[in-house]
Amino acid sequence: MKLTLKIYSGKKVEKTYKAETVDFSFGLIEDVLDVLDFEHMESKADIGVMIVKASKQLKPFLKEIFDGVTDEEIRHTHIQNLIEVFRGLYHYAEVELGSAVSGGEKN
């Protein structure tokens, strides 16, 4: 799975960071799952509020995911893009952990 983080200058995309989920450590996935709870969110607004409230915890994750991104650049992302990044990462973690568990049950 590919994730993209767009850095804006106003409404114009100034820079784009890309990452592959296959490069993420188990610890990163575990930490993101501890912070985010998409299952209990009913709307994009709820998800946006959750991400903003957890921003101090999420910034280090963004730096680990997207090599070279800075705190200042993170301030110039759009919330919709952050929702897409973290929703994608959350979904990836659920699928990967689910397949690991189901694969382990066959043994």
Side-chain angles (χ1 to χ4, degrees):
M1 166 182 245
K2 292 182 183 183
L3 299 174
T4 302
L5 183 68
K6 297 175 184 173
I7 310 303
Y8 291 86
S9 176
K11 293 185 179 187
K12 181 182 174 194
V13 176
E14 187 173 272
K15 192 172 189 179
T16 302
Y17 288 92
K18 295 183 181 188
E20 292 279 340
T21 52
V22 295
D23 295 333
F24 302 154
S25 68
F26 175 74
L28 172 70
I29 300 298
E30 182 180 42
D31 292 344
V32 168
L33 290 175
D34 283 345
V35 172
L36 300 177
D37 183 13
F38 284 101
E39 290 179 15
H40 297 97
M41 298 292 114
E42 295 183 20
S43 70
K44 283 188 178 183
D46 292 339
I47 295 169
V49 169
M50 175 182 57
I51 288 174
V52 170
K53 284 184 177 180
S55 66
K56 288 182 182 177
Q57 294 167 289
L58 296 175
K59 281 182 184 179
F61 300 150
L62 290 169
K63 288 179 176 181
E64 187 172 339
I65 294 166
F66 300 103
D67 290 334
V69 72
T70 65
D71 284 343
E72 188 60 28
E73 287 174 323
I74 293 169
R75 290 180 52 82
H76 294 280
T77 59
H78 289 177
I79 191 68
Q80 181 58 37
N81 188 208
L82 293 176
I83 290 170
E84 291 169 10
V85 167
F86 286 112
R87 184 181 273 162
L89 188 56
Y90 189 88
H91 177 70
Y92 168 80
E94 282 184 322
V95 169
E96 289 301 307
L97 293 174
S99 66
V101 169
S102 65
E105 290 175 354
K106 294 179 183 177
N107 291 333

